[in-house]
Amino acid sequence: MRKYETIFILHPTFEEEVVKASIEKFKGVIENGGGTIDNVDFWGKRKLAYEISKVNDGYYTLINFTAGPELPRELDRIFRITDGVLRHIIVKEEK
């Protein structure tokens, strides 16, 4: 098992319950894939460093998790096909 962290940005027009449901969806993907969630840090709505598709704000969330090496690929796939995810990144934490 390896330690990873992912940060993703959701579209700013989402209602708060849609944002929470999206976070729960991604947590579910991690847990159902055999991973364990270490920490979830919701940063709220923040200004983007640069405009993405004519959008200047987004809801930022950071999730630290432990999983096998195949789970990040599946999580990346889910991020890519989910509407409203502006950007995402998954990084393996160094020891």
Side-chain angles (χ1 to χ4, degrees):
M1 299 294 268
R2 299 176 181 160
K3 291 198 173 283
Y4 296 92
E5 70 179 16
T6 181
I7 188 166
F8 54 93
I9 306 169
L10 298 174
H11 203 276
T13 59
F14 281 177
E15 299 287 329
E16 189 153 336
E17 52 272 355
V18 175
V19 172
K20 288 181 181 178
S22 296
I23 294 169
E24 289 301 318
K25 173 184 173 182
F26 299 132
K27 285 171 54 179
V29 169
I30 293 168
E31 291 169 340
N32 294 335
T36 58
I37 295 181
D38 302 325
N39 183 38
V40 177
D41 193 8
F42 179 64
W43 296 354
K45 194 173 190 178
R46 302 257 175 123
K47 185 164 178 49
L48 301 176
Y50 55 90
E51 188 176 280
I52 302 171
S53 302
K54 299 183 180 178
V55 175
N56 293 315
D57 298 324
Y59 290 101
Y60 284 71
T61 306
L62 171 72
I63 300 177
N64 299 86
F65 63 98
T66 305
E70 67 286 339
L71 183 65
R73 265 183 261 129
E74 176 63 14
L75 186 59
D76 183 57
R77 186 186 74 78
I78 298 295
F79 279 137
R80 290 178 190 274
I81 64 173
T82 302
D83 290 335
V85 176
L86 297 177
R87 288 284 186 273
H88 70 280
I89 188 168
I90 303 169
V91 179
K92 184 177 107 176
E93 292 182 4
E94 295 296 321
K95 293 184 179 181

